Amino acid sequence: MGTTASQLAKDSLSEYQELTFLTKQEILLAHRRFTELLERDERKNLNSRVPMEIIHTLPELKSNPFKTRICQVFSTSEDRDGSLTFEDFLDLLSAFSDSATLEIKSHYAFRIFDFDDDGTLDERDLEKLVNCLTGETEDTRLNDEEMKQLINNILDESDIDKDGTVNLSEFQHVISRSPDFVSSFKIVL
Amino acid sequence: MSSASEPVVGRSRSFLAAKRHRTVRKNSRRIYSTYRDHQQGSSDEERGDNKEVDSNDPEEMFQNIQFQKEIIANIRSRPWPMRRKLKVLKQAREIVLKYEGQLTRTRGYQTAGADLLKKLYRVLYNIVVTFIPWEVRIKKIESHFGSGVASYFIFLRWLFGINIVLTIMTGSFVVLPELLAGAPFGTTRSKTIPKEHLASAQDLDTIWSLGGYLQYSVLFYGYYGSVRKIGSAGYRLPLAYFLVGMAVFAYSFIILLRKMAKNSRLSLASASDENFTFCWRVFCAWDYLIGNPEAAECKGAAIVNNIREAIVEEQEKKKDTSLAVLISLRILANILVLLSLAGSIYIIYFVVDRSQKLEQEKPELTLWEKNEVSVVVSLITMIAPSAFELVAQLEMYHPRTSLRFQLARVLVLYLGNLYSLIIALLDKVNSMSSAPHASSSNWTNTSSTISSLSSQLSRISVSEHHNSTMATISTAINFIHNRSSLVTAYNQTIPFEKNARSQQDQCWETYVGQEMLKLSIIDMIFTVASILLIDFIRGLVVRYLSDCCCWDLESKFPEYGEFKIAENVLHLIYNQGMIWMGAFFSPCLPAFNVLKLIGLMYLRSWAVLTCNVPHQQVFRASRSNNFYLAMLLFMLFLCMLPTIFAIVRYRPSEHCGPFSGQEKIYDIISDTVASDFPLWFSKVMSYITSPVVVLPAVLLLFMLIYYLQAIARSLKFTNNQLRIQLQTERTEDKKKVFQMAAARLQVPEASADKNPDQQENDIPSQEGSIHTSSPQQNGSVSNIQSPINRSNSVRTISQSASGADLNEERVSGFVRSPGVIVLPKHQVEPISNRPRHFIGGRSGSCRSKSCHHMAYNPPSGLSNAIHTDPLYRKTIRSLHPVEAAGIIAAQNYGRHRGPTTRYVFVNEHRPRKKLLCSTTRIPRHYLLEEPTEILELYPRNIKHYTPRTIHQQQPPRSHTAQQLIKEEEETGKDRKRTSLGKSLRPCSLPDHHHQAHFYIGERLDSFRESQRAGYEMQEDDEEEAGKEGIDWGHFNLPSPSQTSIKEKESFHTQRHPVHSPRRQYQSPTRARHMGSQLKPKLKGQLETHLTESDSASIASSSDQQNSSTDQYIQVIHSKERHVRSDVRQEKVSKKKHKTNFDLNCTESNDLICSNV
């Protein structure tokens, strides 16, 4: 651990602690795990990106149905390829950490579920979301009728302003009532 | 508007202050805008700008710094990418640094100190995190199996923490002093192994059954010396022993309650009853911690099941599958469970009894006989839950329900086991504690025997009084024994060794401790065995034999073992219960439990990671947390009882343990107080423990409890109110959105009548919230009123803002699409508070397809129709017309302020009625029409009238007054009645009801008179009278005076009685209308306007305040008869009216305000 610590400058480490919900150990661990994903010659450079496909090999993300969306949401890449820098990676871990607030978690959850990035969850988003959850195989997939009813029910419950979509505040309202969202919206390295 | 007014105010106060205020505002805005702009990516200019914010005003600077600090403090909870956060942080820090230096030096130091503290705190936190045991392990499990499984381990860790503290308590205050300063092993009789046992003291089976050296060790109660003070420091071991024993319970209680309080505080947010079943199942379904592909697959399948289940449930909410079979199955299942519970309890009792007998009969016991009890108990605790699970399949409950049942049953089983065990043990103790007496009398000299006998005699005589318990009887037997032994004591000499042996063997506290420890050990062995056998071996078999087997082992029969969170947690609770039960008699039990928990932790986590799959039905982790804790608390309480009972009830053993020779264990306290404390202290203690102090203290406690409970109740109440308020607010929000949506729609006017069905479908759902809330609040009208008042103002504002244009737009909305039609209706709401009811009434009429006619007259060219159709819907009829009337009236009233808009209420009755019109009434009609401002008719009572006249102009008043006088003559009696009712404003339902009856009597008379006068068909008349009553209600409603409203209420509530006078009154009006020029006009328009949407027309009419229009509201009664207008309906209507009228009042006021 000492070797990795030396790679992260002390002040940036403390800054990261300031800016994320992570502890020092977690940041160091994250750094180690992250550098493992990088090519050897890129390891010195803090701004080098790891492409999405490699991020997905992390066991913590491997079986997550939203892994693509997660990478896309946290990526600051210009060409929207979902590649992450170390800082993006820290952002990701911070949002998914134990001590992150409900607000920030629900914010990111919303963005993850918002597949077309238009700021609201409309029917297509919801459909994609459900498909992600159920998987694409024929026997697990919901048929059209079920899907329609499910989406209608979801909108019935959450769409307060009846505009046919779920916006962020509506989403957060629903999520904040959920007993176990905070405990399950976590990723631990 | 507020921003405009603020600077003005500021300037007027002091120019300087205002200036500063503004600059601060500006700066703050700039600072905030920095972040807003960051989102668009342009921050450089702003930063430059920020640096220029360089003024010499320290206040401003301070503000600025505060802002920056706020930003620094909250930056981590902003959903920005890291780079931006870094940038902002750097910038904010720069500003803070820069300006802070310019501020006073102390502030700089303060912040430096705060920074240092923060750093220290962070370092400490980092250190603490590393010392949390098994953090990594739990995280790993969490990341494989999700939070559910992890919650078990977290719970285990928490229990481990508790046991550590308990171990430290007992270890440092009891065990260590005894070891260090107490009499060494072998010096006293209680610490010596009897000779005949010495040979076998090191045998494995002796050790195994906790005999031999173990029995005479610090493990058990019996080893501790009864010397008051030990060591050179004079440590009071017996006292410490007692206090620690109590402290164990106290600490457990406190820590449990604190944890529970914390948890419930955390879960407060989710305390509301709102249930977003579908949303949660989709949005919160995935457990992001799951990293194991198998677990992920499992979870995915579970989610699909869950969603499907919800859909199916929704599709067929009520599915009755052969209810009889189901019920009988469930009964059978419960009987089975009860039988097995009773059986297990009986078996335990039987086994304990048998072991007791065996011990007495046989000198040497086999290994099985020694461990029989604990083995049987452990077996039962292992097997019975599985049996329950099988039984539960019979019941066919929803999985979650069945899980609850399962948990409850298992808990009862565990408790039953523990209790039957402890009762059997105590029973044994009873017989044991009687035996020592016999021998002790031999051993002690006669005088002491006699004294003890006399003391016992007195004790028995006392206890004889309440000879209800078995124990008393045993004492009695005891006494007899004693006497007989006393007789023998004189001539018998029994070898000392024999006596000593029996005394030492009969140390019942040690015996209980031994049993508990044995039970704990056996339980541990069984747990380990079950993990190895059921989980590990099975996992191995499934994994490696699945290839060479004809069916799929992994998914069919043996499968992998499931990790059953709930049952495992229950097992932990049970285990902890044993510890609590035995801790007093075996001080090392917590220490043993610590070891056990550590072992369990490693074994379980290993087993989970290697050979378990998560339970399909995951018990919701966070919610169940408090559930577990509650069960633990329950367990603690129940486990404390036997211990406390034993301490209080039984006499401690004579020759072993720290309390030997005492009458009761707790005597140690009073002894210590008496002997070791100064005199004054014991005096004080005696005062404090006297009833003089204790009784008031208890009383005070009760009062305190009551008071706190009252507070809690009131808080709950407020909570509820707030929630209701929130709900209304949310519906308001909804409505606002509707308004906006409606405003966007523009279509020429059309009719809503074409799609009444859709309206009906939509409206009830939207009405739901308010309708449901209002009945709840019957008692407290104010609750509803306040939110609505507020909403009112909002609405009116929006109304005025949107202006008359909206009107048209709204109307047009109807035509466009049927789906949209709901919106305009809501649009109407702002105008009148009652829209829902109105709409309801409207839709009701639509439904009936017998829409009758609305009257209406739009000089301005806008077609407005106000249509009240009170009569035809059975259920709705009673409610809606009145409310609709209320709307109209309210609008009416408000409109009077502005340019003239007149409503004419026209009652169209059957033709035959028209004939009845009397000419005298015609002036009335004119009265209505002519005064441009006023429309309200107050036929009933002058009292009501007066308040209104204040607002109104003179001419109508005089006219109406005349009319009223006439009316009064006609209905003098009635009016008196009504005035009675009126005078009390907040009249309750019963009042109305009562009144109603009253009226019936009265009115019937007059009714008959009127009949005589020429009405035909009583039934018809009655009905119509009712309708008329409603109509009159319309007129009355607008009045601000509440008394009138009240009266109206009474009228509505009992339409029948009221009718006759009114009818007389009304029919003329009707006739008048018919006779007058209005009639043709109305008729001409009837058809055309039928097509319009009523609500829209209302909206528009209210908007047209500036156009001078005469609006006629024609209420037409059909000839349908609702002879059977249910009492129920009436009641409902009463309720509604009550609330509604109040609302109306406030509403009309609001309207006026807005108009002014």
Side-chain angles (χ1 to χ4, degrees):
Chain A
M1 207 183 254
T3 54
T4 51
S6 63
Q7 287 179 9
L8 269 183
K10 256 225 165 81
D11 51 339
S12 65
L13 185 62
S14 77
E15 237 156 31
Y16 289 147
Q17 286 184 59
E18 190 82 45
L19 293 175
T20 62
F21 293 98
L22 304 172
T23 61
K24 188 174 158 197
Q25 289 95 328
E26 284 167 328
I27 293 173
L28 290 175
L29 178 64
H31 190 248
R32 206 175 57 209
R33 294 289 298 274
F34 189 79
T35 43
E36 280 167 11
L37 298 175
L38 281 171
E39 299 291 325
R40 194 159 283 281
D41 50 333
E42 283 178 336
R43 291 198 178 166
K44 294 278 177 253
N45 184 3
L46 258 187
N47 288 327
S48 48
R49 296 187 166 275
V50 174
M52 182 163 69
E53 290 70 33
I54 294 182
I55 293 282
H56 286 173
T57 58
L58 283 174
E60 286 79 12
L61 278 174
K62 202 164 51 187
S63 41
N64 195 317
F66 302 109
K67 54 189 174 187
T68 316
R69 279 302 300 164
I70 291 174
C71 285
Q72 280 167 357
V73 164
F74 285 97
S75 167
T76 53
S77 155
E78 299 288 322
D79 36 346
R80 305 191 162 277
D81 56 356
S83 60
L84 299 182
T85 64
F86 176 58
E87 288 180 354
D88 298 339
F89 189 60
L90 277 188
D91 275 334
L92 190 158
L93 291 180
S94 169
F96 280 101
S97 73
D98 257 338
S99 41
T101 59
L102 172 70
E103 201 192 342
I104 203 157
K105 275 178 189 283
S106 54
H107 178 98
Y108 278 113
F110 182 79
R111 282 174 59 184
I112 287 168
F113 295 157
D114 182 15
F115 284 82
D116 49 10
D117 285 319
D118 63 351
T120 59
L121 301 184
D122 52 21
E123 287 181 20
R124 279 189 310 278
D125 287 329
L126 291 176
E127 197 177 327
K128 275 186 193 164
L129 164 58
V130 175
N131 278 339
C132 268
L133 281 175
T134 57
E136 296 293 332
T137 53
E138 272 312 308
D139 54 330
T140 56
R141 239 185 118 130
L142 299 185
N143 61 35
D144 288 346
E145 198 178 315
E146 286 173 321
M147 181 68 78
K148 204 175 154 205
Q149 178 160 17
L150 179 63
I151 287 172
N152 280 342
N153 279 322
I154 289 173
L155 288 178
D156 256 7
E157 284 173 357
S158 60
D159 185 16
I160 294 168
D161 59 9
K162 299 290 172 212
D163 59 351
T165 62
V166 183
N167 60 33
L168 178 59
S169 52
E170 287 164 351
F171 183 78
Q172 284 182 331
H173 174 81
V174 170
I175 288 291
S176 65
R177 260 52 170 195
S178 164
D180 45 12
F181 173 74
V182 173
S183 61
S184 68
F185 195 78
K186 282 197 286 192
I187 290 179
V188 183
L189 275 188
Chain B
M1 193 170 115
S2 64
S3 63
S5 68
E6 260 179 57
V8 172
V9 173
R11 210 173 296 148
S12 68
R13 280 200 201 120
S14 134
F15 181 71
L16 202 105
K19 191 179 152 204
R20 183 188 295 171
H21 180 79
R22 254 176 295 146
T23 47
V24 169
R25 277 174 71 92
K26 201 170 66 192
N27 284 343
S28 67
R29 201 174 301 138
R30 196 178 301 153
I31 287 155
Y32 283 129
S33 68
T34 310
Y35 300 104
R36 228 174 288 134
D37 286 353
H38 266 300
Q39 276 168 335
Q40 283 122 37
S42 73
S43 64
D44 289 5
E45 304 167 10
E46 287 290 339
R47 204 193 306 170
D49 209 10
N50 257 336
K51 279 174 186 162
E52 285 163 23
V53 183
D54 204 11
S55 88
N56 296 325
D57 189 345
E59 188 58 32
E60 182 186 325
M61 229 151 50
F62 185 65
Q63 290 248 7
N64 191 358
I65 285 170
Q66 287 303 316
F67 281 127
Q68 301 295 346
K69 278 190 182 158
E70 212 170 279
I71 287 155
I72 293 173
N74 294 325
I75 194 155
R76 63 162 69 168
S77 43
R78 277 162 206 266
W80 299 336
M82 181 74 75
R83 193 170 303 167
R84 203 167 102 222
K85 280 195 274 189
L86 266 179
K87 219 181 258 174
V88 171
L89 181 72
K90 214 174 279 169
Q91 187 182 322
R93 273 193 184 146
E94 263 171 29
I95 293 168
V96 170
L97 268 184
K98 188 174 170 196
Y99 292 116
E100 222 152 29
Q102 291 173 19
L103 286 175
T104 56
R105 192 161 288 207
T106 45
R107 263 186 191 154
Y109 287 135
Q110 273 172 11
T111 50
D115 273 356
L116 200 71
L117 263 181
K118 209 157 84 183
K119 249 176 215 160
L120 248 168
Y121 174 78
R122 204 191 296 147
V123 167
L124 269 181
Y125 180 68
N126 282 338
I127 289 170
V128 165
V129 164
T130 49
F131 280 104
I132 296 176
W134 304 308
E135 184 73 6
V136 181
R137 188 172 280 266
I138 288 176
K139 286 259 159 91
K140 197 174 162 200
I141 293 168
E142 211 173 24
S143 70
H144 275 257
F145 288 95
S147 50
V149 176
S151 76
Y152 166 82
F153 288 96
I154 291 169
F155 186 69
L156 198 156
R157 188 174 62 184
W158 186 72
L159 277 183
F160 171 76
I162 288 185
N163 278 295
I164 289 274
V165 175
L166 295 188
T167 308
I168 289 172
M169 270 166 34
T170 53
S172 59
F173 292 112
V174 175
V175 179
L176 271 184
E178 173 66 33
L179 280 178
L180 295 178
F185 181 73
T187 48
T188 58
R189 210 180 313 118
S190 67
K191 295 187 182 185
T192 324
I193 300 172
K195 272 181 198 142
E196 68 269 27
H197 284 208
L198 200 56
S200 65
Q202 287 182 347
D203 291 358
L204 189 64
D205 69 318
T206 318
I207 296 290
W208 176 247
S209 59
L210 303 174
Y213 282 109
L214 285 184
Q215 188 178 349
Y216 300 94
S217 72
V218 285
L219 275 180
F220 298 111
Y221 170 92
Y223 183 78
Y224 294 87
S226 60
V227 187
R228 280 294 124 102
K229 292 182 183 181
I230 56 170
S232 52
Y235 188 76
R236 293 184 178 82
L237 185 76
L239 181 66
Y241 194 97
F242 182 76
L243 289 182
V244 165
M246 295 301 103
V248 162
F249 289 123
Y251 172 77
S252 308
F253 259 119
I254 290 169
I255 202 87
L256 250 177
L257 287 177
R258 273 189 55 185
K259 179 90 174 170
M260 283 180 81
K262 199 176 145 203
N263 270 359
S264 64
R265 226 177 302 141
L266 281 180
S267 61
L268 257 192
S270 58
S272 68
D273 321 320
E274 289 170 282
N275 228 346
F276 300 97
T277 330
F278 285 94
C279 289
W280 287 345
R281 273 174 211 216
V282 172
F283 294 149
C284 312
W286 188 254
D287 195 335
Y288 289 76
L289 284 160
I290 292 176
N292 184 348
E294 276 175 30
E297 217 170 86
C298 242
K299 183 80 184 170
I303 289 170
V304 174
N305 282 341
N306 229 336
I307 292 174
R308 285 239 164 85
E309 208 173 75
I311 292 173
V312 170
E313 258 173 44
E314 191 69 14
Q315 276 169 351
E316 31 189 324
K317 282 239 167 173
K318 293 285 176 204
K319 185 180 68 175
D320 40 1
T321 52
S322 58
L323 212 62
V325 175
L326 198 63
I327 286 176
S328 54
L329 270 180
R330 284 178 186 177
I331 289 173
L332 180 71
N334 276 313
I335 287 172
L336 280 179
V337 167
L338 279 181
L339 277 181
S340 60
L341 279 178
S344 73
I345 286 169
Y346 174 74
I347 287 174
I348 290 172
Y349 201 86
F350 172 77
V351 166
V352 173
D353 203 44
R354 201 172 82 109
S355 77
Q356 204 174 327
K357 272 181 197 144
L358 277 177
E359 249 171 47
Q360 283 169 0
E361 286 162 10
K362 279 207 266 175
E364 281 303 308
L365 298 175
T366 61
L367 183 67
W368 162 250
E369 280 164 348
K370 278 179 185 168
N371 298 306
E372 201 178 33
V373 176
S374 358
V375 170
V376 165
V377 171
S378 298
L379 267 181
I380 288 174
T381 54
M382 266 188 62
I383 293 169
S386 315
F388 288 167
E389 206 165 325
L390 281 180
V391 169
Q393 286 180 356
L394 277 181
E395 296 179 301
M396 293 188 283
Y397 277 121
H398 187 276
R400 201 174 309 125
T401 327
S402 69
L403 185 62
R404 296 251 158 83
F405 268 92
Q406 169 81 353
L407 282 179
R409 281 168 188 163
V410 172
L411 187 70
V412 169
L413 173 84
Y414 285 168
L415 273 176
N417 285 353
L418 275 184
Y419 255 71
S420 52
L421 180 68
I422 198 80
I423 286 172
L425 284 180
L426 288 181
D427 202 25
K428 201 167 162 186
V429 162
N430 226 337
S431 60
M432 275 168 72
S433 65
S434 61
H437 271 287
S439 54
S440 76
S441 59
N442 289 341
W443 186 73
T444 48
N445 60 37
T446 354
S447 61
S448 76
T449 322
I450 287 166
S451 70
S452 80
L453 186 84
S454 61
S455 75
Q456 245 184 16
L457 238 172
S458 64
R459 198 153 30 99
I460 286 162
S461 65
V462 170
S463 60
E464 219 88 305
H465 281 293
H466 28 157
N467 53 355
S468 55
T469 59
M470 201 173 68
T472 351
I473 296 161
S474 76
T475 347
I477 295 163
N478 206 354
F479 171 61
I480 294 158
H481 269 295
N482 234 346
R483 247 206 322 210
S484 61
S485 65
L486 188 75
V487 175
T488 56
Y490 288 106
N491 10 10
Q492 256 185 4
T493 50
I494 293 161
F496 173 79
E497 285 83 17
K498 205 173 181 184
N499 269 341
R501 193 201 68 130
S502 73
Q503 284 151 21
Q504 283 170 350
D505 272 359
Q506 305 293 350
C507 191
W508 63 266
E509 292 94 339
T510 299
Y511 176 71
V512 173
Q514 267 175 316
E515 283 303 314
M516 292 327 270
L517 187 56
K518 222 187 278 178
L519 187 62
S520 194
I521 289 171
I522 302 272
D523 180 73
M524 184 174 76
I525 288 168
F526 270 80
T527 312
V528 171
S530 78
I531 290 174
L532 286 180
L533 276 178
I534 296 181
D535 292 328
F536 184 60
I537 304 288
R538 180 165 146 195
L540 282 182
V541 166
V542 169
R543 174 140 301 180
Y544 293 108
L545 296 187
S546 60
D547 296 335
C548 48
C549 207
C550 42
W551 71 90
D552 188 7
L553 286 174
E554 290 194 17
S555 59
K556 289 272 171 52
F557 166 56
E559 301 177 65
Y560 291 108
E562 273 184 349
F563 185 76
K564 293 168 185 166
I565 303 161
E567 273 145 47
N568 278 307
V569 166
L570 262 187
H571 192 257
L572 277 184
I573 289 171
Y574 165 69
N575 180 48
Q576 191 59 37
M578 282 191 302
I579 302 305
W580 279 320
M581 223 178 224
F584 187 78
F585 304 112
S586 169
C588 289
L589 207 51
F592 170 75
N593 198 34
V594 166
L595 296 179
K596 183 177 172 179
L597 287 179
I598 292 175
L600 199 61
M601 182 80 182
Y602 282 105
L603 194 67
R604 263 277 175 238
S605 58
W606 167 78
V608 162
L609 287 174
T610 49
C611 46
N612 270 3
V613 291
H615 200 289
Q616 286 272 344
Q617 232 71 45
V618 177
F619 205 65
R620 296 195 164 257
S622 51
R623 185 173 288 178
S624 54
N625 259 348
N626 246 359
F627 180 67
Y628 297 156
L629 289 175
M631 285 198 294
L632 193 61
L633 189 70
F634 185 58
M635 199 65 163
L636 171 59
F637 178 72
L638 288 180
C639 288
M640 205 181 65
L641 280 186
T643 311
I644 298 287
F645 177 77
I647 288 174
V648 171
R649 187 73 194 78
Y650 295 112
R651 191 188 157 90
S653 306
E654 282 290 331
H655 296 290
C656 64
F659 309 112
S660 54
Q662 289 177 38
E663 199 55 44
K664 289 275 186 273
I665 288 176
Y666 55 79
D667 282 344
I668 190 78
I669 298 283
S670 46
D671 282 2
T672 315
V673 167
S675 60
D676 296 336
F677 280 87
L679 197 64
W680 61 267
F681 188 80
S682 61
K683 228 179 207 168
V684 168
M685 282 303 286
S686 69
Y687 279 131
I688 286 178
T689 50
S690 69
V692 183
V693 179
V694 170
L695 274 182
V698 169
L699 267 181
L700 197 71
L701 269 182
F702 273 122
M703 284 192 291
L704 205 68
I705 289 172
Y706 181 78
Y707 174 68
L708 288 178
Q709 216 175 16
I711 284 183
R713 223 179 297 137
S714 72
L715 282 179
K716 215 179 195 176
F717 183 68
T718 4
N719 224 354
N720 253 344
Q721 284 195 344
L722 282 176
R723 199 179 299 160
I724 287 165
Q725 202 170 322
L726 252 181
Q727 270 171 4
T728 11
E729 212 107 300
R730 212 183 309 148
T731 39
E732 297 311 316
D733 283 351
K734 256 190 218 173
K735 268 177 248 146
K736 250 182 261 169
V737 175
F738 280 136
Q739 284 172 28
M740 285 190 293
R744 266 181 243 134
L745 299 167
Q746 279 196 355
V747 180
E749 55 191 51
S751 78
D753 291 5
K754 284 172 188 166
N755 27 34
D757 290 345
Q758 277 165 340
Q759 293 169 18
E760 283 168 29
N761 292 338
D762 290 336
I763 291 155
S765 65
Q766 285 150 9
E767 283 178 343
S769 56
I770 280 191
H771 275 295
T772 50
S773 64
S774 57
Q776 288 169 358
Q777 296 181 344
N778 266 341
S780 55
V781 175
S782 59
N783 297 344
I784 282 196
Q785 217 161 351
S786 59
I788 286 184
N789 263 341
R790 211 183 321 143
S791 67
N792 229 354
S793 56
V794 172
R795 287 170 179 171
T796 46
I797 286 166
S798 71
Q799 191 60 40
S800 60
S802 54
D805 298 351
L806 278 181
N807 166 22
E808 278 177 303
E809 293 162 13
R810 250 170 267 133
V811 174
S812 58
F814 289 117
V815 191
R816 242 186 212 164
S817 66
V820 184
I821 279 157
V822 191
L823 303 179
K825 288 208 165 170
H826 282 268
Q827 183 76 35
V828 176
E829 293 181 12
I831 305 152
S832 61
N833 256 337
R834 306 282 88 219
R836 295 202 179 92
H837 306 293
F838 178 71
I839 291 164
R842 174 80 203 101
S843 58
S845 63
C846 292
R847 213 184 300 142
S848 73
K849 294 279 164 39
S850 62
C851 293
H852 307 51
H853 341 336
M854 54 229 347
Y856 138 65
N857 155 6
S860 68
L862 288 172
S863 57
N864 303 327
I866 294 176
H867 172 149
T868 54
D869 183 352
L871 306 173
Y872 304 106
R873 289 299 93 211
K874 279 175 218 141
T875 48
I876 299 174
R877 180 191 75 140
S878 55
L879 317 179
H880 301 290
V882 183
E883 286 140 14
I887 295 160
I888 295 159
Q891 289 170 358
N892 198 1
Y893 188 69
R895 202 156 298 113
H896 289 315
R897 312 288 107 200
T900 59
T901 311
R902 275 170 285 149
Y903 287 96
V904 176
F905 292 79
V906 181
N907 250 317
E908 187 182 286
H909 285 255
R910 287 164 300 172
R912 63 175 172 85
K913 286 197 175 176
K914 289 169 197 163
L915 297 176
L916 292 171
C917 66
S918 63
T919 46
T920 51
R921 307 257 158 81
I922 288 174
R924 242 277 187 90
H925 167 66
Y926 287 134
L927 176 150
L928 286 175
E929 293 275 271
E930 280 171 356
T932 51
E933 312 263 343
I934 290 154
L935 203 250
E936 285 118 76
L937 295 180
Y938 248 80
R940 296 274 91 200
N941 207 334
I942 289 179
K943 256 194 213 160
H944 305 289
Y945 198 58
T946 43
R948 201 172 315 122
T949 52
I950 295 164
H951 301 287
Q952 292 164 0
Q953 291 182 351
Q954 296 301 325
R957 212 240 313 238
S958 60
H959 283 284
T960 41
Q962 287 173 3
Q963 291 292 329
L964 282 169
I965 290 160
K966 280 182 195 169
E967 270 297 308
E968 260 196 67
E969 287 171 6
E970 287 178 12
T971 62
K973 284 180 191 172
D974 302 311
R975 230 160 289 136
K976 278 172 196 167
R977 295 288 165 201
T978 49
S979 62
L980 275 179
K982 282 166 241 155
S983 54
L984 2 145
R985 164 153 165 59
C987 76
S988 56
L989 286 181
D991 278 344
H992 287 296
H993 209 66
H994 191 64
Q995 264 181 303
H997 290 300
F998 228 128
Y999 279 123
I1000 288 169
E1002 288 271 328
R1003 295 290 153 97
L1004 275 178
D1005 293 339
S1006 52
F1007 174 58
R1008 258 157 223 153
E1009 285 174 11
S1010 65
Q1011 271 188 323
R1012 250 172 272 135
Y1015 290 107
E1016 326 129 16
M1017 292 169 107
Q1018 292 182 7
E1019 292 164 78
D1020 293 2
D1021 288 349
E1022 269 194 22
E1023 295 257 305
E1024 285 186 310
K1027 291 152 199 169
E1028 283 171 19
I1030 294 160
D1031 297 340
W1032 278 111
H1034 307 313
F1035 288 98
N1036 281 341
L1037 273 171
S1039 82
S1041 79
Q1042 291 151 346
T1043 49
S1044 67
I1045 283 157
K1046 167 85 82 14
E1047 191 187 24
K1048 205 127 313 91
E1049 282 178 63
S1050 61
F1051 285 153
H1052 297 308
T1053 49
Q1054 9 158 302
R1055 254 159 255 131
H1056 299 265
V1058 183
H1059 67 308
S1060 62
R1062 210 162 281 138
R1063 198 248 223 122
Q1064 286 175 353
Y1065 185 85
Q1066 191 120 25
S1067 53
T1069 354
R1070 221 182 305 135
R1072 207 192 312 140
H1073 286 297
M1074 294 312 177
S1076 66
Q1077 73 282 36
L1078 288 176
K1079 191 188 171 186
K1081 197 177 174 186
L1082 287 169
K1083 288 221 163 157
Q1085 288 175 347
L1086 272 178
E1087 279 79 36
T1088 56
H1089 299 305
L1090 266 175
T1091 53
E1092 289 176 351
S1093 119
D1094 307 333
S1095 51
S1097 64
I1098 281 188
S1100 59
S1101 66
S1102 71
D1103 286 336
Q1104 300 173 344
Q1105 290 173 359
N1106 296 329
S1107 65
S1108 64
T1109 49
D1110 292 350
Q1111 301 189 350
Y1112 299 89
I1113 299 165
Q1114 185 179 27
V1115 183
I1116 298 166
H1117 304 286
S1118 85
K1119 290 167 190 173
E1120 285 181 36
R1121 295 284 156 256
H1122 293 281
V1123 183
R1124 35 171 229 87
S1125 72
D1126 302 347
V1127 183
R1128 199 171 8 109
Q1129 282 177 17
E1130 275 192 17
K1131 274 180 189 166
V1132 175
S1133 65
K1134 269 184 232 167
K1135 278 186 192 170
K1136 293 267 153 89
H1137 290 321
K1138 216 201 206 164
T1139 45
N1140 295 342
F1141 286 122
D1142 291 337
L1143 295 172
N1144 261 340
C1145 288
T1146 59
E1147 176 199 299
S1148 57
N1149 288 337
D1150 282 331
L1151 279 171
I1152 293 163
C1153 295
S1154 70
N1155 283 335
V1156 168

